[in-house]
């Protein structure tokens, strides 16, 4: 995210070429409320990943401001998940890891409790947004922008106008994994381990890298997509419960390091 950008800049400066850079909506760091595409500054990064994305973007922005580049278009996608029909995904990290951990813990609970109910409270409130989209949707929107030079430049949030809520997220998980989750903390501040039961402690330790993305207090505008007639319908795409195909989880259950 940083050294790769530096190497890319070496070549781009020589040719004064335009750069198309993939970042993340979470480059905004720790902040609440609306995160606009044209925000002039970042919040405090919550982890190394966000810090590295911020550093990469700062390098590119500085090069653009000094006239070293032929242009800069930044794409900030939301969390990408598997496609509903093919269940294809480029990796098994992020929310896929979250789902696999839920499934593993559920299998252990079922051996002692046939009901399969997980004594886990998920961080956040039931109506919090969960920012995600299928990887195919992200790729499709990117291709439409990339193939239209008039749209190049600036920042594009590749995010849905109305992301699913935490309740929809929970119901889709329960449907595809055949489990029942206790509920939500209904609190904006993540709990400490001394306030958790043993199952929750295990779960959140396993999910530590992605915990900040389970409960999300920020929202992301997608004004540029909404202003474009061809892209407006993509921003309006509704949540589809098929975004959590069980086949994906089963296919990766025995994957190396999974």
């Amino acid at each position: 995210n940083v050294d790769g950008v530096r190497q890319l800049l070496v070549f781009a400066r020589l040719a004064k070429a335009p750069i198309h850079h993939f970042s993340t909506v979470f480059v905004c760091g720790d902040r609440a409320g609306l995160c606009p595409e044209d925000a002039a500054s970042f919040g405090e990064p919550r982890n190394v990943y966000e810090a590295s994305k911020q550093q990469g973007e700062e390098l590119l922005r500085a090069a653009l401001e000094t006239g070293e580049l032929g242009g800069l278009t930044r794409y900030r996608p939301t969390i990408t998940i598997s496609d509903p029909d093919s269940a294809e995904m480029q990796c098994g990290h992020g929310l896929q890891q979250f789902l696999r951990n839920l499934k593993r813990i559920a299998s252990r609970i079922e051996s002692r409790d046939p009901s399969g109910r997980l004594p886990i409270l998920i961080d956040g409130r039931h109506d919090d947004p969960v920012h995600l989209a299928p990887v195919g949707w992200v790729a499709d929107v990117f291709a439409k922008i990339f193939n239209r030079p008039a749209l190049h430049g600036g920042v594009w949030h590749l995010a849905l106008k109305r992301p699913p809520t935490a309740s929809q997220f929970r119901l889709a998980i329960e449907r595809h994994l055949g489990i029942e989750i206790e509920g939500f903390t209904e609190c904006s501040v993540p709990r400490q381990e001394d306030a958790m039961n043993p199952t929750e402690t295990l779960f959140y330790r396993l999910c530590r890298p992605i915990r900040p993305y389970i409960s999300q207090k920020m929202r992301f505008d997608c004004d540029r997509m909404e202003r474009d007639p061809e892209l407006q319908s993509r921003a309006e795409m509704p949540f589809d419960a098929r975004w959590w195909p069980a086949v994906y989880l089963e296919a990766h259950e025995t994957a190396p390091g999974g």
Side-chain angles (χ1 to χ4, degrees):
N1 293 335
V2 180
D3 289 341
V5 169
R6 288 196 180 103
Q7 296 301 318
L8 181 63
L9 282 171
V10 171
F11 292 99
R13 285 171 173 139
L14 289 173
K16 203 168 184 179
I19 288 180
H20 291 260
H21 177 251
F22 255 75
S23 184
T24 171
V25 288
F26 297 105
V27 74
C28 68
D30 189 12
R31 59 192 299 174
L34 184 67
C35 300
E37 290 171 315
D38 58 358
S41 61
F42 300 129
E44 188 70 21
R46 297 175 294 180
N47 49 47
V48 173
Y49 171 72
E50 292 181 359
S52 69
K53 285 295 190 182
Q54 289 184 3
Q55 291 175 51
E57 286 211 25
E58 292 289 0
L59 288 171
L60 290 166
R61 185 159 53 187
L64 180 69
E65 290 174 352
T66 55
E68 300 173 78
L69 303 179
L72 174 62
T73 308
R74 284 172 286 173
Y75 305 90
R76 294 177 179 166
T78 185
I79 295 172
T80 54
I81 60 173
S82 54
D83 279 311
D85 296 313
S86 67
E88 291 179 352
M89 184 62 186
Q90 70 272 36
C91 69
H93 304 301
L95 286 180
Q96 277 70 24
Q97 181 186 38
F98 172 88
L99 296 176
R100 285 203 307 275
N101 288 335
L102 274 177
K103 186 175 184 180
R104 287 170 178 164
I105 291 175
S107 65
R108 297 178 183 180
I109 293 291
E110 286 173 349
S111 64
R112 301 189 299 271
D113 180 2
S115 71
R117 185 179 181 86
L118 289 183
I120 293 175
L121 289 176
I122 299 176
D123 286 339
R125 296 183 169 88
H126 68 280
D127 57 352
D128 283 345
V130 180
H131 298 285
L132 45 79
V135 64
W137 179 90
V138 173
D140 177 64
V141 174
F142 161 72
K144 284 180 167 55
I145 298 169
F146 182 81
N147 289 325
R148 292 171 60 190
L151 299 181
H152 294 178
V155 175
W156 288 87
H157 278 172
L158 306 188
L160 298 176
K161 181 179 180 180
R162 284 184 287 273
T165 65
S167 287
Q168 290 175 307
F169 174 70
R170 172 192 174 186
L171 290 173
I173 291 172
E174 291 179 331
R175 170 187 170 188
H176 286 289
L177 297 187
I179 61 176
E180 184 178 354
I181 302 170
E182 190 74 26
F184 300 92
T185 62
E186 299 298 345
C187 178
S188 60
V189 179
R191 292 171 301 156
Q192 300 300 312
E193 285 193 0
D194 59 7
M196 299 180 188
N197 63 49
T199 303
E200 290 174 320
T201 300
L202 171 62
F203 173 69
Y204 282 111
R205 284 181 180 177
L206 291 171
C207 293
R208 184 175 288 114
I210 61 168
R211 190 175 182 186
Y213 308 106
I214 298 174
S215 175
Q216 301 169 16
K217 56 188 177 182
M218 71 278 285
R219 293 182 180 274
F220 305 100
D221 75 20
C222 46
D223 288 352
R224 296 187 72 184
M225 287 179 61
E226 290 185 79
R227 291 196 299 267
D228 186 89
E230 184 179 352
L231 296 174
Q232 185 179 37
S233 63
R234 307 302 290 158
E236 298 281 352
M237 187 177 73
F239 170 70
D240 185 341
R242 294 181 306 139
W243 290 358
W244 306 104
V247 65
Y248 175 84
L249 297 167
E250 293 166 0
H252 288 72
E253 188 64 27
T254 58

